[in-house]
Each structure stands twice: as structure tokens, then as C-alpha cells.
Amino acid sequence: MATLRDEIYPIRSSDDIVKVRQITREWALMQTFSLVDQTKIVTAASELARNTLEHGHGGEVRIQALQEGSRRGLRLTFVDQGPGIPDLAKALQDGFTTGNGMGLGLSGSKRLVNDFDIHSETGKGTTVMIARWK
Amino acid sequence: MEKRTKLAEIVKNQHDVILNDWVEFQLNATTLRRDLMKESELREQSREFLGLFTQAVQSGSDIGETIWKPVKDFLGQITRSRVLLGFTPSETATFIFSLKQPLFDVIRAAVKDPKDLVADLWTTTTLLDKLGLYVMELHQQNREEVIHRQQEELLELSTPVVQLFENILALPLIGTLDSARTQVVMENLLQRIVETGAMISIIDITGVPTVDTLVAQHLLKTVAAARLMGADCIISGIRPQIAQTIVHLGVDLSEVTTKATLADAFMIALQRTGATVTKSAATKTKG
Ligand SMILES: Nc1ncnc2c1ncn2[C@@H]1O[C@H](COP(=O)(O)OP(=O)(O)OP(=O)(O)O)[C@@H](O)[C@H]1O
Ligand SMILES: [Mg+2]
């Protein structure tokens, strides 16, 4: 698998979330994603960036443009050193929220991508990796 | 205690020479903005500043002292006006930094002992650097204030509620729908519903690039609030890719009427308010 581009962006403010959305859209265009694929990965990125900021107290996202044979993809890895998620199964349920959101960000973004991987340790932080292939 | 330097005495005695040279320097600087500011104004500002500077420097060169307050207040004034005129930070700071050369020239002419000369030049350069940095900071602060104010104005401007027809309002949303923006949008809409007694409002999201769970939640809250005021909402501008994404996210919009375009939404609204649309005779014969 070849990495065509690999960059890291901070997620410290709501402006950064807007930036993450813009960059994800740009890179999705660069990878010649269809409009539907673009919208799906951008929306998932928006959800996870907001979780990183709101629940993880800020962190960063690594964005990678990948190529495997004729397949092109985008991988985003969100990392924070926040409180972590005590019960992952619960957090991944539709409607579960510890804040006042809809509780659809995690479960919803999982449905919007091809690969989804989450690691979390209480008191240490959370890492969420997603990838979408065209 | 700082060592007494000759700077105070020199600026007092050489006032006119310094002023002339300084204005000359500013007029020849590449950062001069003749397009934004008149020469007479520049001359007047320079004269006033040098007067205040001369007075303050008699008591020392620590700009933290209260004696320097009039100087700093005056710098505050001219920085504010330059920000509004569109000067860049370096164009604004040139006002201070261009005073270095004229001061150096008169000091060099007046102080013969090399040791004293170095001391005087050092005092002068650190003093002007401090004032220059002060101006840069002020410039930055002022810019941020201006930008903040513009953003707020833009917020208001970009959420206009328009009346499409008797009983029908439309709210075309453009850009990012964050929490602050939603608050403004919602208040504007509710206000207009009360003023017009509208029965239906169409919220058009054609200009909203991403609909995530936060945007969806904001939309649903707005719809619920409008309903409490007695107006039904139709959400239009849901493009196919947005519709698919919303479904995958698991957001339930089944309680809200949604339409692909504002025109579709308008037709529904007309029907619901009891109005009918017919083609006029003229259009019929033409078409
Ligand atoms: N990075 C994170 N660090 C700590 N907790 C997290 C993180 N991401 C998610 N969570 C926890 O998982 C829960 C579910 O997240 P999810 O994104 O699905 O919903 P939400 O953020 O509460 O609401 P929304 O629907 O607006 O996204 C959160 O309420 C929070 O408790
Ligand atoms: Mg969330």
C-alpha cells in the first residue's frame, strides 16, 4: 500500500473542525471520490473531530491519502489524550450520549466508512481510525 | 536606576531638526500609504507625537511609567485610525521605527565621547523598539476587534428571513451552522414568525455543505421552536448525497417535511396555506 500524502492537523477549537472538514473534502477530491463518498467521509470527519474536541478535550488528526492497486482511499486517525471511553460498546450504541448530543456521532460515522477502528483507555485517551475507499 | 543619558536634552534642543528629518523619512519610506493618508495629516501626527515624546523622555525611558501614558494613548489613537484605514502592522509601526535614524543622527552629532554615544544610542534604540512593539500589539488587537465585529455583522447579514408569500417565510442558510449561528438564526426566524403571523417557514440548506449530527440537531430544535410559535417548517435543499448521509448517520427526519429544492418546498407551502398556482393565460399561449 502506497501513501501518497500524509499530514497532521490540530483540533483545538471549533475553527479547527471547520478546517478538518475543508481539508478532508480537498483530499477526497484529490483522490477523485464521488460526491456521495466525499460527503460521507467529510461528515464522518466532522463527527470525530467534534468528539476529539468536546469529549477528548482536543487533540489532532492524521490524514493519509492511500493507494492500493487501483483502489484509492483516505484514512483519518483522530488522537486525543482525554478521559477515554469507559464502555466502548455502550458509546457505539445509537443514541448513547454523556453530553447533550444526539449520540449518533460514533455509531453514525462507523456506518459512513469502510474501515473503523477505535481504541480507548480510561484516563489515557482515545484513538479512532476511519478509512473510506472509492 | 538607569544612567542619565543625554537623549532627553538632545530631543528638546533639536526638536525642529528631528521633526523635519523624521517626516522626510516617512515620506520616502516604501511603507508610506499616500493613497490612505494625506501628507499634512502625517506631518501633524508626527509633530504631536514628538511633543509628547520629548516631554515623557525628560523623566526617563521606562514606558511602563505613568509619565508615558499620554504617548501611549496617542499611539493608541493613531493605530486605531490606521487599522480602520487598512494599514498593515508594519506600515503602522513604521511611524515609530522611522524615528530611529533622525534621532541617531542628532545624537551622533551631539555626543562626542564614544562611551556616552554607545549608551545614548542603546537607550534610544531599546526605547523605540519597545514603542514599536507596543504599536504592533495594538494594531493586532484592533484588527482582532474589527474582525470580530465584522464576523458578528456577517452572522446577522447571512441569516436573512424573507417573506415569500402571504403566510410563507423562507430562511436560506449558507455556510457552517455552528451553535452561535444557530442561536441567531433561530431567534431571527421566531421573531419574524411572530411579526408576520406566518403559517409555514421553509428552511433551505442548499448552501450548507455538511449536515452532521450537530447541524441536524440544530435544525430539529429550530423546527420544534417554530412549531411552538404555531408555524410549520419545511426543510429544503436536501441533495441526494446529503439524504444518504443523514440516513447512514441514523438521524430521524421523518417528523419533518423535507424537499429537494426550495421551489418544491414553496409549492407544498402554497398548497398548505390554501393558495393555488395556475399558469397565466399569457404564459399558456406562449408556451
Ligand atoms: N474522543 C472521545 N473521548 C472521550 N469520550 C468520547 C470520545 N468520543 C466519544 N466519546 C463518548 O461517546 C459518547 C458517544 O459519542 P457520539 O459521538 O456517538 O455522541 P455525542 O458526541 O454525545 O453526540 P453527537 O450525536 O452530537 O455526536 C459521547 O457522549 C462520549 O461520552
Ligand atoms: Mg459526537
Side-chain angles (χ1 to χ4, degrees), chain B residues 56 204 245:
Chain B
D204 185 70
T245 307

Side-chain angles (χ1 to χ4, degrees), chain A residues 14-15 17-18 21 25 35-36 39-40 42-43 46-47 50 54 94 100-102 104-105 107-109 111-112, chain B residues 176-178 209-217 220-221 240-242 244-252:
Chain A
S14 46
D15 284 349
I17 299 178
V18 177
R21 281 203 292 264
R25 188 173 296 278
L35 193 52
V36 171
T39 310
K40 285 181 175 174
V42 170
T43 308
S46 179
E47 293 298 338
R50 194 149 42 75
E54 284 181 359
D94 276 359
N100 41 26
M102 301 186 96
L104 292 171
S107 50
S109 30
R111 287 188 289 265
L112 287 171
Chain B
T176 321
L177 208 58
D178 59 16
T210 310
V211 180
D212 62 3
T213 60
L214 186 68
V215 171
Q217 193 183 25
L220 288 171
K221 273 189 188 157
Q241 68 274 20
I242 301 279
Q244 272 198 49
T245 307
I246 290 177
V247 170
H248 282 291
L249 272 180
V251 173
D252 183 11

Side-chain angles (χ1 to χ4, degrees), chain B residues 120-164:
Chain B
D120 273 313
L121 290 181
W122 179 250
T123 313
T124 309
T125 196
T126 46
L127 174 59
L128 289 181
D129 284 349
K130 271 187 233 148
L131 288 173
L133 286 177
Y134 178 73
V135 166
M136 295 283 249
E137 259 167 44
L138 278 181
H139 188 100
Q140 193 56 32
Q141 268 173 28
N142 273 291
R143 277 236 20 94
E144 274 161 20
E145 278 164 28
V146 168
I147 289 170
H148 188 73
R149 206 165 47 241
Q150 283 170 344
Q151 272 174 344
E152 285 191 341
E153 282 164 10
L154 213 65
L155 211 62
E156 298 280 339
L157 277 178
S158 57
T159 54
V161 181
V162 290
Q163 183 149 24
L164 289 184

